[in-house]
Amino acid sequence: MRKTRSLLPALLVLGLVPIAVPSSSFAADAPSASLPLSQMPIGQYDPADPKTWTVAWPKDGPQKIDGDALTYRAYSQGFPSSTPHGEAAGDHWTLSVFYDPAGKAADVLRMSKSDAENLLANLVHDVPGLAGQARTEPIYAPTSGWNADVPAASDAVGWAVRVGRFDTKADAAAFLNDGKLGYVLDKDGKPVMKDGKPVRYTARVLYDALDGRPTTGPWTVRVVTIDPAKYNVQTTFGGTIANPDTVRELVKASGAVVGVNASEGVPGKYEPGVPAPDVYTGDVQGVQVRNDGIYSEATDGRSALVLNGRDPADPNGAIVPARIGQVSTTIKVTATDPVTHQPDQRTIFGVNRPAGYVVGCGSAATEVTTALRYYPCKNLNDLTVIRSEWGTNTPVVAPEIKAQLKDEPFELLLDANWVVKDVHKPGDKIEPGQIVLQGIGTSADWLKKYQQAGTALKPAGDILDTPTGKSITSADLGVVAGGCGPSLLRDGEVYLTMKADGIFNKGGVLNNWAAERYARTMVGITDKGKIQMVTVDGRDASTSIGMSILETARLMKWLGAKQALSMGCGGDTGLIMNGVLYNNPMDDWGTPDQKNPYERRLPNALVAVKK
């Protein structure tokens, strides 16, 4: 694992020098105004039915892991039910069908009702025996209670084609494995062939409580509360950025007592030549800053957890231990023009990623200038800086990006003081302490002007509060982007920054996963400044089905947070404390082998190290 370098030299690497300078309440949207304070505000509640009650452990209050400085408490609520109960119609195992005419696996959800109806019509035409079992299912977001910067549409945010309602996962899997979904037929009624074999309809086995409609649950929630006066809460990427680690490894490497997953990584296909366990690389989607430098650029304006940053509302720039804010990065590099002898400044658009693809967009240089989760934008004049923390070799530019360029990508190798050492080849080795500038298009032309060994370049960087444009940089600054969702609470009330955080599709429709239930990780800040690390398990019909974005916001308010941010979700969600995995990570619906629980490799973690 990498050793931590001294603070000041690394700060100077990117010019991070300290700078001296009404929503409605949940009760209005609650399914029952009589919910007691001890009841989590999700699912069905019946005062006479213990199955709907919240059960807390320990019963008499949080477990004191380290006195009041670090505590832990778990909550469970609800029960699995396949029959109606209150507003819930009952949950079942089912098959969610997908088929792409090219023979490739397609997204389970269709973006329009007509797409889903066409798929259903083709399925029933090709496999008539499914006529009584196949159906379309809408995925709805609740139309009230969002208090968001973009309203939830009254129409469905996605459509699924489902087959069957089964009592167990095994029954659903058996139906699928027995080939009862049948073959895809062409216009002549003959099986469509691919690689010499007939193409079958296929499906994902899942529990339909995923859909976000009223349900009885169940849910399992875990809460760690940390006093930042006694613990340093910080972000860590472990060994190297290009080779992600599990949360367990990240917590151990940082010497932390506890940690949870933080940001999401970039899908591997956008990071050519980089190892990509579990599809994702170590490149963070959004900002990552530690007190020894910038490790990933911001998706401009996307919400983030800011630790020990300057308060943009304070004229004296007072340090705030923790807050949720929307941030941007500004990074420049300046050379002296060899002809005019005048300063020649260039914007560095990315940190620790290959030039060309900007996953998450949110840059003035990309075709989508606002945040858009997971959507890959292009910048054909991109300039990125790659530090030795990235890995042993620099990344290479994607072939589809290179195909659109007039000239080859160009790299300069610099020493720790930003003095040019040599021209560098993409994919070649980078030694500890070295820096590489990688450029394409006009940025490559700019680099070529200064390729003479010994040329001194001057970097400057800053972290800004997007709404005010003020610097929040401090010597101990830590910033980490929200992962699988938006900011959840503002001044203790539900307020979802869906638009600012790109939680919608390119067409402006809310993402289906925001309305669906997944495992979730959240971070909250209480009115006393304590930091909450919260996980909700998902994808398990017997213990915890997960929550929608709106449900997580309501949960965080119930837990006493005044500000809250959604971090990673799904198989990312993990909670490690004192070397023990506390939650039950799931990569898909079902129960993992408890002797070998699933732990995804992730780009970073949020950890608490005792002072």
Side-chain angles (χ1 to χ4, degrees):
M1 292 295 179
R2 181 184 59 82
K3 294 181 179 180
T4 302
R5 299 176 298 151
S6 60
L7 170 64
L8 188 57
L11 272 173
L12 293 175
V13 165
L14 286 180
L16 273 182
V17 181
I19 299 173
V21 283
S23 300
S24 62
S25 68
F26 166 73
D29 302 307
S32 170
S34 62
L35 281 177
L37 292 176
S38 60
Q39 184 68 24
M40 287 195 291
I42 50 174
Q44 306 296 301
Y45 173 69
D46 183 349
D49 187 350
K51 291 186 297 183
T52 69
W53 299 354
T54 298
V55 177
W57 183 89
K59 293 182 179 180
D60 56 352
Q63 179 186 9
K64 295 187 176 183
I65 305 297
D66 182 11
D68 291 329
L70 196 151
T71 66
Y72 169 78
R73 202 174 196 195
Y75 303 88
S76 61
Q77 181 175 305
F79 61 99
S81 177
S82 59
T83 59
H85 186 282
E87 295 180 3
D91 302 317
H92 304 81
W93 289 96
T94 189
L95 299 176
S96 198
V97 179
F98 55 91
Y99 165 67
D100 182 343
K104 300 177 182 178
D107 194 333
V108 171
L109 287 183
R110 300 286 157 158
M111 288 300 102
S112 71
K113 182 178 182 180
S114 61
D115 284 347
E117 289 175 339
N118 289 337
L119 176 59
L120 176 63
N122 290 336
L123 175 66
V124 173
H125 173 269
D126 296 346
V127 193
L130 297 178
Q133 303 178 68
R135 64 198 182 278
T136 60
E137 289 281 359
I139 311 300
Y140 283 107
T143 55
S144 64
W146 283 81
N147 304 325
D149 60 358
V150 58
S154 57
D155 296 331
V157 299
W159 289 81
V161 175
R162 301 274 171 79
V163 172
R165 291 183 174 90
F166 304 91
D167 292 332
T168 68
K169 181 182 180 182
D171 291 341
F175 189 97
L176 178 63
N177 295 334
D178 288 345
K180 293 181 181 179
L181 287 186
Y183 295 101
V184 179
L185 306 182
D186 62 21
K187 61 180 181 176
D188 298 320
K190 297 179 180 180
V192 172
M193 306 296 289
K194 180 173 173 48
D195 299 329
K197 297 180 180 180
V199 176
R200 287 185 180 274
Y201 283 98
T202 189
R204 175 187 176 197
V205 178
L206 56 78
Y207 196 59
D208 60 14
L210 170 77
D211 292 349
R213 53 186 168 67
T215 179
T216 59
W219 295 275
T220 301
V221 175
R222 295 176 175 85
V223 184
V224 175
T225 303
I226 303 155
D227 184 350
K230 303 290 182 63
Y231 282 83
N232 285 320
V233 178
Q234 60 197 46
T235 179
T236 180
F237 58 80
T240 61
I241 293 172
N243 294 281
D245 302 305
T246 64
V247 176
R248 183 191 303 273
E249 293 167 335
L250 292 168
V251 172
K252 182 178 180 181
S254 63
V257 176
V258 63
V260 292
N261 57 300
S263 308
E264 292 178 299
V266 169
K269 65 181 179 178
Y270 301 120
E271 296 277 345
V274 177
D278 300 313
V279 182
Y280 302 104
T281 75
D283 181 6
V284 173
Q285 287 193 63
V287 67
Q288 179 174 226
V289 175
R290 304 190 316 186
N291 56 15
D292 55 350
I294 302 173
Y295 291 89
S296 179
E297 78 280 3
T299 301
D300 283 354
R302 189 173 179 183
S303 296
L305 172 65
V306 180
L307 301 164
N308 301 312
R310 296 187 180 276
D311 184 355
D314 188 296
N316 298 315
I319 302 297
V320 179
R323 70 180 184 91
I324 307 299
Q326 293 173 336
V327 301
S328 304
T329 46
T330 175
I331 309 171
K332 306 283 186 179
V333 58
T334 303
T336 300
D337 188 285
V339 177
T340 66
H341 305 292
Q342 296 299 308
D344 184 9
Q345 191 176 76
R346 193 80 182 176
T347 296
I348 294 175
F349 297 104
V351 181
N352 290 320
R353 64 166 175 80
Y357 269 127
V358 185
V359 177
C361 305
S363 167
T366 56
E367 63 267 36
V368 180
T369 58
T370 55
L372 199 58
R373 177 182 180 255
Y374 272 142
Y375 190 81
C377 282
K378 296 187 295 294
N379 178 359
L380 299 181
N381 296 302
D382 208 0
L383 179 62
T384 63
V385 57
I386 300 149
R387 295 173 23 159
S388 57
E389 289 86 357
W390 166 263
T392 56
N393 300 78
T394 60
V396 298
V397 175
E400 55 267 45
I401 295 294
K402 289 180 66 175
Q404 300 178 62
L405 301 175
K406 181 178 64 174
D407 298 311
E408 289 291 310
F410 189 79
E411 286 187 358
L412 286 184
L413 178 66
L414 317 175
D415 65 18
N417 295 314
W418 285 64
V419 175
V420 175
K421 292 174 61 67
D422 204 346
V423 173
H424 192 264
K425 183 180 178 181
D428 277 359
K429 194 171 184 178
I430 180 172
E431 299 287 351
Q434 292 182 334
I435 299 163
V436 167
L437 287 176
Q438 185 180 84
I440 58 176
T442 57
S443 290
D445 296 337
W446 188 90
L447 291 175
K448 290 174 184 176
K449 291 172 57 178
Y450 304 107
Q451 61 183 292
Q452 179 67 41
T455 301
L457 305 179
K458 184 179 180 181
D462 206 354
I463 313 298
L464 307 178
D465 174 69
T466 304
T468 65
K470 291 185 177 181
S471 172
I472 60 171
T473 298
S474 75
D476 297 318
L477 181 67
V479 188
V480 62
C484 191
S487 177
L488 303 171
L489 300 179
R490 179 178 294 180
D491 299 324
E493 299 296 339
V494 173
Y495 187 85
L496 306 175
T497 51
M498 308 300 285
K499 183 177 181 180
D501 290 310
I503 314 304
F504 52 90
N505 300 315
K506 191 177 180 183
V509 179
L510 186 72
N511 283 158
N512 60 279
W513 61 265
E516 292 176 315
R517 294 188 175 94
Y518 289 96
R520 308 276 181 182
T521 301
M522 292 77 71
V523 59
I525 303 168
T526 71
D527 59 353
K528 295 183 179 180
K530 291 194 174 183
I531 297 173
Q532 300 167 315
M533 295 180 179
V534 181
T535 64
V536 178
D537 278 340
R539 295 173 174 163
D540 192 327
S542 61
T543 62
S544 190
I545 59 172
M547 292 186 186
S548 69
I549 287 292
L550 179 57
E551 287 171 336
T552 61
R554 289 172 168 172
L555 170 70
M556 293 306 292
K557 178 180 176 180
W558 181 79
L559 288 171
K562 298 303 178 184
Q563 303 175 61
L565 177 66
S566 175
M567 304 302 283
C569 69
D572 287 11
T573 291
L575 169 62
I576 297 287
M577 187 157 55
N578 289 323
V580 176
L581 176 66
Y582 268 59
N583 74 312
N584 191 22
M586 295 280 186
D587 196 35
D588 210 338
W589 281 89
T591 303
D593 178 2
Q594 295 302 315
K595 295 180 180 179
N596 185 29
Y598 177 83
E599 294 183 51
R600 182 176 285 174
R601 294 183 177 274
L602 302 171
N604 59 7
L606 186 67
V607 300
V609 181
K610 191 164 185 178
K611 293 183 177 180

